[in-house]
Amino acid sequence: LLAQVCLSRAAMVLDASLAVAASHGQTSFADFAPAQPGGEAAAAAPHANVEYQVVDYYAEACPHCVKFAPQFAKAQVQWNSDPANDPVQWLTKQCKDSTWRDGRDAGACQDAKIEAYPTVKLFSVTDGVRDKGAEYMGSRDPEAVVSWVKHMLSIEKPEASVQAAAIGPFAVLDVA
């Protein structure tokens, strides 16, 4: 049964991702440029202008992750269907496999300090260097994820940050 659930999750993510790829003229996962371990973005031509990444860190054996996978894929489709949205790269990282052993992306998960599944983070990429990211803590439905990404991007932009600083003490701070 667990193997069926894992295969089902993988098939759902694959189907949704391929649909998104096809809608953008891409034909395979090889067309995508995922983040590299160590916090640096890959330097591949199709996504050379990507400034933001939304990453779903998951464990194959996690029932919450299995349930969230199609919601994350729907959020990606919803985001990409609105031409007014900034370019955002939507990625998934397998932290643990179906037996709770390290998954194929375990190094990237450790670099991102992932301790629970699923975890969604938004990263800003500047000159090929990825920041430490902001963690999503809201509802696991597509509309809420998209709304959070829009909100985070609105406070990330310099003109929005200046306005936020001018209105009072409620600014987002990057505490090291």
Side-chain angles (χ1 to χ4, degrees):
L1 179 61
L2 182 58
Q4 288 175 332
V5 169
C6 292
L7 288 174
S8 174
R9 180 195 194 288
M12 287 185 292
V13 170
L14 178 62
D15 288 345
S17 297
L18 287 175
V20 170
S23 73
H24 289 83
Q26 297 161 326
T27 57
S28 72
F29 285 117
D31 293 334
F32 289 95
Q36 298 295 315
E40 295 183 358
H47 293 290
N49 62 348
V50 172
E51 295 180 28
Y52 302 102
Q53 298 173 339
V54 179
V55 184
D56 172 22
Y57 296 92
Y58 70 94
E60 281 289 332
C62 168
H64 301 292
C65 297
V66 172
K67 186 175 179 182
F68 179 64
Q71 303 308 312
F72 186 77
K74 287 177 186 175
Q76 178 182 11
V77 169
Q78 188 177 3
W79 182 270
N80 290 334
S81 68
D82 185 348
N85 288 334
D86 290 323
V88 172
Q89 189 177 21
W90 295 72
L91 306 167
T92 58
K93 297 291 182 181
Q94 182 194 57
C95 300
K96 299 290 181 184
D97 67 13
S98 61
T99 62
W100 290 100
R101 292 191 176 111
D102 283 349
R104 68 178 169 268
D105 302 310
C109 301
Q110 290 169 352
D111 290 345
K113 300 182 180 4
I114 303 303
E115 298 176 352
Y117 308 105
T119 295
V120 174
K121 282 190 156 189
L122 172 67
F123 295 96
S124 175
V125 180
T126 306
D127 295 327
V129 178
R130 194 168 78 175
D131 69 1
K132 65 182 179 180
E135 188 171 330
Y136 176 66
M137 302 296 276
S139 170
R140 291 185 179 133
D141 64 270
E143 293 77 17
V145 173
V146 167
S147 177
W148 175 75
V149 172
K150 284 183 181 184
H151 170 74
M152 294 303 292
L153 294 186
S154 75
I155 62 174
E156 175 76 19
K157 300 200 179 196
E159 57 274 356
S161 297
V162 170
Q163 292 173 347
I167 60 172
F170 301 106
V172 176
L173 302 176
D174 183 15
V175 179

